[in-house]
Amino acid sequence: MTQKIALWSIPISLAVLALKLLAWWLTGSVALLSDAMESTVNVLAALLAYFAVRVANKPPDENHPFGHKKAEYLSAVVEGALIVLAAFLIIREAVLALPTPHLEDAPFLGIAVNVIATGVNGAWAYLLLRIGRREGSPALEASSRHIFTDVMTSAGVIAGLMLALVTGWLILDPILAILVALNILWEGWKVIRASVDGLMDVSLSDHDLQVVSDTIENNLGAALEYHDLKGRRSANIIFVEFHLVVDGAMSVSAAHDICNEVEHALERIYPGSVFVIHLEPDDELKGNGAKPSQVS
C-alpha cells in the first residue's frame, strides 16, 4: 500500500508544479515563484519517498537481518534538507525582488490557478498523513508534512497577493515570500530532527512503552516480575527487550511457554515486531515478588 501511494505522489507533485509555474507565469509574482520552487522540491521528495518505501519493504536478508526499514528515515532526512534548501532559495529570490516589486497583467487568473493547485495539494497531503500513520511509514509522513507546509505557503501567498492587489502595496509580495520561507525552514528542521531520532534509535514513545508494559503485566502468568524494559522503533515495527524473572525451580519448558504467551500478546498489537526476553531466576528479583513496571 505504501509503495503504491508513494508512486502516485510523483505524477501528482508534477501536476501541482505545472499549475504553480503557470500561476507564476501569469502573475510574475516572486511569492508565487517561491511557491513553485518549493513544489520542485516536492517532486524530488516524491521520487525519494517512492524508492525509500521500495527498499524499506524488502524482507530481511543475510546482510540486513533486521530488515531495511531505516531507508525511510534516510529519505526523510534528505527531504528535510531539500526543504531547508528551498527556503534559502526563496529568501534569495525575495530579497532580489525587494527593490522593484511588480506583478503582470493577469494576477487574478494566476491566483485562481494557484488556488486549484493548493486544493489538490491539501487533499493529497491529508491522504498521505492518514496512510503514513496507519502504516507506520516515516517517508509518507515526512512527505505529508512537507506538502502541508506547501499548502500553508500557498494559502499565505494567495492571501498576501490579494492584499497587495487591493492596497497597491506590491512590496508585500517579496516580504510575504520571506516570511513563508522562514516558516518552511522551521518545518524542514522538524522533519530532519524526527528522522535523525529514528536513525539514532531513539527510545519508544511514552505511549508505546506504556502499551508494551501493560501488555507484559497482563500476560505474566506464573512469572514473578519483569524489569529493564527497553525499546526502539524502526518505521512500522518495534524492537523490544526486557528481563523476565521466574521461579528458579521452574522447568525450561514452562518458562518458555510464559515467554511465548507474552510474545504472542505483544505481536497482536505490534505485528512483525521483534521481542527479546532474557529469563532470570528468582534471585534476580528487584521488586520483592511484585510485578512492577520497571522501565530503564
Side-chain angles (χ1 to χ4, degrees):
M1 181 64 174
T2 54
Q3 186 172 327
K4 184 178 180 180
I5 292 297
L7 179 60
W8 270 104
S9 288
I10 298 172
I12 289 175
S13 60
L14 283 169
V16 170
L17 173 60
L19 287 172
K20 290 189 175 183
L21 286 173
L22 176 60
W24 163 67
W25 181 73
L26 290 170
T27 62
S29 164
V30 67
L32 288 183
L33 173 60
S34 301
D35 201 13
M37 289 173 65
E38 186 181 3
S39 290
T40 302
V41 177
N42 286 352
V43 175
L44 296 174
L47 289 167
L48 281 171
Y50 173 65
F51 287 111
V53 168
R54 283 191 63 182
V55 172
N57 284 339
K58 289 182 178 180
D61 55 35
E62 184 177 348
N63 292 325
H64 305 88
F66 294 101
H68 302 77
K69 293 295 183 180
K70 287 195 175 182
E72 294 200 37
Y73 291 116
L74 288 171
S75 169
V77 169
V78 175
E79 183 169 342
L82 289 174
I83 294 173
V84 171
L85 175 61
F88 281 117
L89 291 175
I90 290 169
I91 291 173
R92 176 181 178 277
E93 292 296 322
V95 169
L96 292 175
L98 277 172
T100 56
H102 71 281
L103 295 174
E104 301 293 341
D105 294 332
F108 290 106
L109 179 58
I111 290 173
V113 171
N114 197 272
V115 168
I116 294 172
T118 301
V120 172
N121 247 3
W124 187 244
Y126 177 72
L127 181 62
L128 281 178
L129 183 62
R130 288 191 59 184
I131 295 176
R133 286 178 174 173
R134 187 184 68 197
E135 301 294 330
S137 171
L140 291 185
E141 286 196 53
S143 291
S144 71
R145 287 194 295 269
H146 185 184
I147 296 173
F148 270 127
T149 302
D150 197 10
V151 171
M152 293 169 54
T153 299
S154 299
V157 165
I158 291 167
L161 284 179
M162 293 298 295
L163 181 62
L165 290 171
V166 170
T167 62
W169 299 341
L170 298 186
I171 197 167
L172 289 175
D173 180 34
I175 290 175
L176 179 64
I178 292 173
L179 293 176
V180 164
L182 294 176
N183 180 65
I184 294 171
L185 274 175
W186 174 242
E187 292 299 322
W189 163 246
K190 289 194 293 185
V191 170
I192 293 173
R193 182 179 61 184
S195 303
V196 169
D197 279 346
L199 289 172
M200 295 295 291
D201 291 334
V202 69
S203 175
L204 286 175
S205 67
D206 290 341
H207 170 74
D208 281 325
L209 282 173
Q210 190 61 54
V211 170
V212 170
S213 177
D214 291 343
T215 303
I216 296 171
E217 286 191 11
N218 292 335
N219 293 274
L220 278 177
L224 301 177
E225 70 168 28
Y226 74 97
H227 53 254
D228 294 340
L229 172 62
K230 302 173 184 177
R232 64 181 177 88
R233 176 176 289 278
S234 183
N236 60 339
I237 65 174
I238 66 172
F239 295 84
V240 170
E241 63 178 74
F242 58 93
H243 295 199
L244 187 67
V245 182
V246 299
D247 188 332
M250 180 179 288
S251 69
V252 173
S253 178
H256 182 261
D257 288 342
I258 295 173
C259 291
N260 280 342
E261 286 296 321
V262 174
E263 286 183 10
H264 291 158
L266 290 168
E267 286 170 355
R268 285 192 291 270
I269 303 173
Y270 299 100
S273 295
V274 177
F275 308 99
V276 178
I277 304 175
H278 177 69
L279 278 173
E280 295 179 342
D282 49 14
D283 59 1
E284 296 290 337
L285 277 172
K286 294 187 177 181
N288 298 320
K291 300 177 181 179
S293 300
Q294 296 187 7
V295 179
S296 66

